[in-house]
Amino acid sequence: MPGPPAVTRPPAEPSAGHRTAAADAASGRPAPLAPHGDASATAAAAASPAADDTAAKPRPRAAGKVLRALRAHVGSIAGTIILVVVVWRLGTGVFVDGLRRIDGGTLVAAVGIGVLTTVVSAWRWCAVTRALGLRMPLGPAVADYYRALFLNAALPGGVLGDVDRAVRHGQSSGDMGRGVRAVVIERTAGQLVLAAVGVAVLLTMPSPVLEQTRRAAGVLALVTLGAVAIWAALRMGREPRPDRGGAGRVRAALVEARGALLNRDSGPAVLVSSVVVLAGYVAMFLLAARVAGSPAGPAALVPLALLALIAMSLPLNVGGWGPREGVTAWSFGAAGLGASQGLTVAVVYGVLSFAAALPGALVLVGRWYGSLRARRQSVTTEKYAPNDSTNPASSSFPFAADASEGRPITPESV
């Protein structure tokens, strides 16, 4: 007998995953990610060359961030390196010896000198501000200057306090550009007076860099004259071109600075105040030398003090520390007074300068407490203020009616 007819079964339909893979292979599209449990799909995705290329690519943003951070902190890094080299060569005992020599009377004298220099510096700032057409009372100027000095001494870089002072002045005056330029012009005036007096003293008084200063001054004068002659020749042979925006702004800023520094009203005040401030800094250095036990007299110490002040004006320090210690140690050693003696003087000067700036910490804490108290009072006032939404006439409810009408709310009235 013939057997039962054979049942012909259709071929097994591929699963959804296989259909998708086949369709993707036929169309040339990349296969989608497989579920977590699919081991073959996971292995294929792990072996994908695109993933390896993505992982192997460097991240330029991270490198750019590192470079920007290095450029922003190059001054602090340089100051740290200088300080480490000085300590490595002379040891830490010099620092300890300098700190031991400071007593209460020395700190009081340093604070007194700091009061003089800070008030006169604030007066110079007020004079520059008035010349630019802004208003700056002396009392707030002294408080802001103390705050800036403390931040300069406590933070790396040595200029962050002046940056904060410039921004705050610009915000309070309502003119950010003039407020910032007033601080820049005021600080530049002090640096110009320091450079002029320093070069004059170093050219005339005996110092370790007397011959080097004379040669450098001669070379600088020749280079300046040559540059001016070349600029004048190019200027005369060039056709006038339309002024560009950047050059116009720079020229306007220079004209504004010249008007603030050479004005009949503000010029004498800026010059006298800058000389008084410089004299106060030199007096602080002489005090530090006396405390450190230096046998040299004022005539021998003034050129060394100006060298240290010029080194401190460089933005390569950590709160003022770094180039000052290196230059003072070198200059004292070159003058025959001993490099260790010079480092001790620099350390004492740094501590006395920080003590003179400590009133700025009180200003900082007082203003922080005042702003915190004002914020709390504003929060309390808002919390207990009458709620306007309780008034029926001013309620924000969409079906509110005037209470004086005395009739119910109906759809027709709405």
Side-chain angles (χ1 to χ4, degrees):
M1 292 179 63
V7 180
T8 305
R9 298 181 178 179
E13 186 176 358
S15 62
H18 292 88
R19 286 200 309 268
T20 305
D24 292 336
S27 61
R29 294 178 298 178
L33 294 178
H36 181 70
D38 197 342
S40 60
T42 305
S48 175
D52 295 340
D53 294 341
T54 304
K57 287 182 179 180
R59 295 184 178 181
R61 292 183 178 180
K65 290 181 179 179
V66 172
L67 292 177
R68 285 193 297 269
L70 289 177
R71 286 196 298 266
H73 298 87
V74 62
S76 301
I77 295 173
T80 304
I81 293 174
I82 295 173
L83 198 59
V84 168
V85 171
V86 171
V87 173
W88 173 62
R89 293 295 301 270
L90 300 177
T92 59
V94 180
F95 287 85
V96 178
D97 181 59
L99 295 177
R100 287 177 178 175
R101 292 176 177 270
I102 301 174
D103 54 5
T106 304
L107 293 177
V108 171
V111 172
I113 296 174
V115 170
L116 173 64
T117 56
T118 305
V119 172
V120 176
S121 298
W123 178 49
R124 177 178 62 190
W125 184 24
C126 293
V128 173
T129 303
R130 285 194 302 269
L132 296 182
L134 301 177
R135 182 178 178 272
M136 188 68 187
L138 183 59
V142 173
D144 289 344
Y145 220 102
Y146 260 121
R147 173 192 172 102
L149 289 177
F150 176 74
L151 293 178
N152 286 339
L155 298 178
V159 295
L160 296 181
D162 293 324
V163 174
D164 176 75
R165 176 165 61 100
V167 173
R168 289 173 63 89
H169 183 211
Q171 292 175 350
S172 62
S173 63
D175 192 338
M176 180 62 72
R178 286 188 179 182
V180 172
R181 290 195 297 272
V183 175
V184 173
I185 293 172
E186 182 266 329
R187 292 292 294 169
T188 304
Q191 298 300 324
L192 290 176
V193 171
L194 171 61
V197 175
V199 171
V201 171
L202 293 176
L203 284 175
T204 57
M205 297 183 65
S207 67
V209 293
L210 177 61
E211 297 297 331
Q212 293 86 341
T213 304
R214 290 178 176 176
R215 287 196 295 266
V219 173
L220 182 61
L222 292 177
V223 170
T224 303
L225 291 176
V228 170
I230 293 174
W231 176 81
L234 294 176
R235 187 75 176 178
M236 293 175 60
R238 186 176 57 184
E239 296 181 357
R241 294 183 301 176
D243 192 10
R244 298 181 180 179
R249 287 192 296 269
V250 172
R251 188 178 296 109
L254 292 177
V255 171
E256 189 177 40
R258 184 180 61 186
L261 297 178
L262 302 180
N263 190 2
R264 290 185 300 175
D265 297 331
S266 61
V270 171
L271 179 60
V272 172
S273 59
S274 300
V275 172
V276 172
V277 170
L278 180 58
Y281 291 157
V282 173
M284 183 81 76
F285 190 90
L286 296 179
L287 176 64
R290 186 187 66 81
V291 172
S294 176
L301 291 175
V302 168
L304 306 183
L306 292 173
L307 281 175
L309 292 175
I310 293 173
M312 288 175 57
S313 64
L314 301 176
L316 303 174
N317 56 77
V318 184
W321 298 80
R324 176 184 61 209
E325 283 69 30
V327 170
T328 306
W330 169 82
S331 62
F332 269 70
L337 301 175
S340 299
Q341 183 73 49
L343 183 57
T344 304
V345 173
V347 171
V348 174
Y349 182 88
V351 175
L352 296 183
S353 299
F354 186 78
L358 278 181
L362 301 179
V363 175
L364 189 65
V365 173
R367 289 187 173 178
W368 171 79
Y369 178 74
S371 63
L372 182 62
R373 186 176 180 181
R375 192 179 302 113
R376 288 179 178 177
Q377 289 180 354
S378 63
V379 171
T380 305
T381 304
E382 293 177 358
K383 181 178 179 181
Y384 293 101
N387 193 358
D388 294 337
S389 62
T390 58
N391 187 1
S394 61
S395 176
S396 59
F397 191 71
F399 299 109
D402 192 357
S404 63
E405 293 181 1
R407 55 186 176 85
I409 302 175
T410 61
E412 290 78 5
S413 64
V414 177

